[in-house]
Coordinates of all heavy atoms in Angstrom, one line a residue:
G1106 N 4.8 26.6 -11.5 CA 4.9 27.1 -12.9 C 4.2 28.4 -13.1 O 3.5 28.8 -12.3
P1107 N 4.4 29.0 -14.3 CA 3.8 30.3 -14.6 C 2.3 30.1 -14.9 O 1.8 29.0 -15.0 CB 4.5 30.7 -15.9 CG 5.0 29.4 -16.5 CD 5.3 28.5 -15.4
S1108 N 1.6 31.3 -14.9 CA 0.2 31.2 -15.1 C -0.1 30.7 -16.5 O 0.6 31.0 -17.5 CB -0.4 32.6 -14.9 OG 0.2 33.5 -15.7
G1109 N -1.2 29.9 -16.6 CA -1.6 29.4 -17.9 C -0.9 28.1 -18.3 O -1.2 27.6 -19.4
A1110 N 0.0 27.6 -17.5 CA 0.7 26.4 -17.9 C -0.2 25.1 -17.7 O 0.2 24.0 -18.1 CB 2.0 26.2 -17.1
G1111 N -1.3 25.3 -17.1 CA -2.3 24.2 -16.9 C -2.3 23.7 -15.4 O -2.9 22.7 -15.2
K1112 N -1.6 24.4 -14.5 CA -1.5 23.9 -13.2 C -2.9 23.6 -12.5 O -3.0 22.6 -11.9 CB -0.8 24.9 -12.3 CG 0.6 25.2 -12.6 CD 1.3 26.0 -11.5 CE 0.7 27.3 -11.3 NZ 0.6 28.3 -12.4
S1113 N -3.8 24.6 -12.6 CA -5.1 24.4 -11.8 C -5.9 23.2 -12.3 O -6.3 22.3 -11.5 CB -6.0 25.6 -11.9 OG -5.3 26.7 -11.3
T1114 N -6.1 23.1 -13.6 CA -6.9 22.0 -14.2 C -6.2 20.7 -13.8 O -6.9 19.7 -13.4 CB -6.9 22.1 -15.7 OG1 -7.2 23.5 -16.0 CG2 -7.9 21.2 -16.3
V1115 N -4.9 20.6 -14.1 CA -4.2 19.4 -13.9 C -4.1 19.0 -12.4 O -4.3 17.8 -12.0 CB -2.8 19.5 -14.5 CG1 -1.8 18.5 -14.0 CG2 -2.9 19.5 -16.0
S1116 N -3.8 20.0 -11.5 CA -3.7 19.7 -10.1 C -5.0 19.2 -9.5 O -5.0 18.2 -8.7 CB -3.3 20.9 -9.3 OG -2.1 21.5 -9.9
K1117 N -6.1 19.8 -9.9 CA -7.4 19.4 -9.4 C -7.7 17.9 -9.8 O -8.1 17.1 -9.0 CB -8.5 20.3 -10.0 CG -9.7 20.5 -9.1 CD -10.7 21.5 -9.6 CE -10.3 22.5 -10.7 NZ -11.4 23.2 -11.3
R1118 N -7.5 17.6 -11.1 CA -7.7 16.3 -11.6 C -6.8 15.2 -11.0 O -7.3 14.2 -10.6 CB -7.5 16.3 -13.2 CG -8.7 16.8 -14.0 CD -9.6 15.6 -14.4 NE -8.9 14.6 -15.1 CZ -8.6 14.5 -16.4 NH1 -9.0 15.5 -17.2 NH2 -8.0 13.5 -16.9
L1119 N -5.6 15.6 -10.8 CA -4.6 14.7 -10.2 C -5.0 14.4 -8.8 O -5.0 13.2 -8.4 CB -3.2 15.3 -10.3 CG -2.0 14.5 -9.9 CD1 -1.9 13.3 -10.8 CD2 -0.7 15.3 -9.8
A1120 N -5.4 15.4 -8.1 CA -5.8 15.2 -6.7 C -7.0 14.3 -6.6 O -7.0 13.4 -5.8 CB -6.1 16.6 -6.0
D1121 N -8.0 14.5 -7.5 CA -9.2 13.7 -7.5 C -8.8 12.2 -7.7 O -9.3 11.3 -7.0 CB -10.0 14.1 -8.7 CG -11.0 15.2 -8.4 OD1 -11.1 15.5 -7.2 OD2 -11.7 15.7 -9.3
E1122 N -8.0 12.0 -8.8 CA -7.7 10.6 -9.1 C -6.8 9.9 -8.1 O -6.9 8.7 -7.9 CB -6.9 10.6 -10.5 CG -7.9 11.0 -11.6 CD -7.3 10.8 -13.0 OE1 -6.3 10.0 -13.1 OE2 -7.8 11.4 -14.0
L1123 N -6.0 10.7 -7.3 CA -5.2 10.1 -6.3 C -5.9 10.0 -5.0 O -5.4 9.3 -4.0 CB -3.9 10.9 -6.1 CG -2.9 10.9 -7.2 CD1 -1.9 12.1 -7.0 CD2 -2.2 9.6 -7.3
G1124 N -7.1 10.7 -4.8 CA -7.7 10.7 -3.5 C -7.0 11.6 -2.6 O -6.9 11.4 -1.4
Y1125 N -6.3 12.6 -3.1 CA -5.5 13.6 -2.4 C -6.3 14.9 -2.2 O -7.3 15.1 -3.0 CB -4.2 13.9 -3.1 CG -3.1 13.0 -2.9 CD1 -3.3 11.6 -2.6 CD2 -1.7 13.4 -3.0 CE1 -2.2 10.7 -2.5 CE2 -0.7 12.5 -2.9 CZ -0.9 11.2 -2.6 OH 0.1 10.3 -2.5
V1126 N -5.9 15.7 -1.3 CA -6.5 17.1 -1.1 C -5.8 18.1 -2.0 O -4.6 18.1 -2.1 CB -6.4 17.5 0.4 CG1 -6.9 18.9 0.5 CG2 -7.2 16.6 1.3
Y1127 N -6.6 18.9 -2.7 CA -6.1 19.9 -3.6 C -6.0 21.2 -2.9 O -7.0 21.7 -2.4 CB -7.1 20.0 -4.8 CG -6.9 21.2 -5.7 CD1 -5.7 21.4 -6.3 CD2 -7.9 22.0 -6.0 CE1 -5.5 22.5 -7.1 CE2 -7.8 23.1 -6.8 CZ -6.5 23.4 -7.4 OH -6.4 24.5 -8.2
I1128 N -4.8 21.8 -3.0 CA -4.6 23.1 -2.3 C -4.1 24.1 -3.4 O -3.0 24.0 -3.9 CB -3.6 23.0 -1.2 CG1 -4.2 22.0 -0.1 CG2 -3.4 24.4 -0.5 CD1 -3.2 21.7 1.0
D1129 N -5.0 25.1 -3.7 CA -4.7 26.1 -4.7 C -4.1 27.3 -4.0 O -4.8 28.1 -3.4 CB -5.9 26.4 -5.4 CG -5.8 27.6 -6.4 OD1 -4.7 28.1 -6.5 OD2 -6.8 27.9 -7.1
T1130 N -2.8 27.4 -3.9 CA -2.2 28.5 -3.1 C -2.3 29.9 -3.8 O -2.4 30.9 -3.1 CB -0.7 28.2 -2.8 OG1 0.1 28.3 -4.0 CG2 -0.5 26.9 -2.1
G1131 N -2.5 29.9 -5.1 CA -2.7 31.1 -5.8 C -4.0 31.7 -5.4 O -4.2 33.0 -5.3
A1132 N -5.0 30.9 -5.1 CA -6.3 31.3 -4.7 C -6.2 32.1 -3.3 O -6.9 33.0 -3.0 CB -7.3 30.2 -4.6
M1133 N -5.2 31.6 -2.5 CA -5.0 32.3 -1.2 C -4.5 33.7 -1.4 O -4.8 34.6 -0.7 CB -4.1 31.4 -0.3 CG -4.7 30.0 -0.1 SD -3.6 28.8 0.6 CE -3.8 29.2 2.4
Y1134 N -3.5 33.8 -2.4 CA -3.0 35.2 -2.6 C -4.1 36.1 -3.2 O -4.2 37.3 -2.9 CB -1.8 35.1 -3.6 CG -0.6 34.6 -2.8 CD1 -0.3 33.2 -2.9 CD2 0.2 35.4 -2.0 CE1 0.8 32.7 -2.2 CE2 1.2 34.9 -1.3 CZ 1.6 33.6 -1.4 OH 2.6 33.1 -0.7
R1135 N -5.0 35.5 -4.1 CA -6.1 36.2 -4.6 C -7.0 36.6 -3.5 O -7.6 37.8 -3.6 CB -6.8 35.3 -5.7 CG -6.1 35.1 -6.9 CD -6.7 34.1 -7.9 NE -5.9 33.9 -9.0 CZ -6.0 34.5 -10.2 NH1 -7.0 35.4 -10.3 NH2 -5.2 34.3 -11.2
A1136 N -7.3 35.8 -2.6 CA -8.2 36.1 -1.5 C -7.7 37.3 -0.7 O -8.5 38.2 -0.4 CB -8.3 34.9 -0.5
I1137 N -6.4 37.3 -0.4 CA -5.8 38.5 0.3 C -5.9 39.7 -0.5 O -6.3 40.8 -0.1 CB -4.3 38.2 0.7 CG1 -4.2 37.1 1.7 CG2 -3.7 39.5 1.3 CD1 -4.7 37.4 3.2
G1138 N -5.6 39.6 -1.8 CA -5.7 40.7 -2.7 C -7.2 41.3 -2.8 O -7.4 42.5 -2.8
W1139 N -8.1 40.3 -2.8 CA -9.5 40.7 -2.9 C -9.9 41.6 -1.6 O -10.5 42.6 -1.7 CB -10.4 39.5 -2.9 CG -11.9 39.8 -2.9 CD1 -12.6 40.2 -4.0 CD2 -12.7 39.8 -1.8 NE1 -13.9 40.4 -3.6 CE2 -14.0 40.2 -2.2 CE3 -12.6 39.5 -0.4 CZ2 -15.1 40.2 -1.4 CZ3 -13.6 39.6 0.4 CH2 -14.9 39.9 0.0
K1140 N -9.4 41.1 -0.5 CA -9.8 41.8 0.8 C -9.1 43.2 0.8 O -9.6 44.2 1.3 CB -9.4 41.0 2.0 CG -9.8 41.7 3.3 CD -10.2 40.8 4.4 CE -10.3 41.6 5.7 NZ -10.4 40.8 6.9
A1141 N -7.8 43.2 0.3 CA -7.1 44.5 0.3 C -7.9 45.5 -0.6 O -8.0 46.7 -0.2 CB -5.7 44.3 -0.3
V1142 N -8.4 45.1 -1.7 CA -9.1 46.0 -2.6 C -10.4 46.4 -1.9 O -10.8 47.6 -1.9 CB -9.5 45.3 -4.0 CG1 -10.5 46.2 -4.7 CG2 -8.2 45.1 -4.8

Side-chain angles (χ1 to χ4, degrees):
S1108 55
K1112 293 190 305 296
S1113 293
T1114 313
V1115 161
S1116 304
K1117 210 173 349 167
R1118 278 266 309 271
L1119 187 65
D1121 269 355
E1122 293 192 16
L1123 292 165
Y1125 279 26
V1126 174
Y1127 165 58
I1128 300 173
D1129 176 358
T1130 64
M1133 300 170 82
Y1134 287 96
R1135 287 171 184 270
I1137 295 288
W1139 177 82
K1140 183 151 170 189
V1142 169

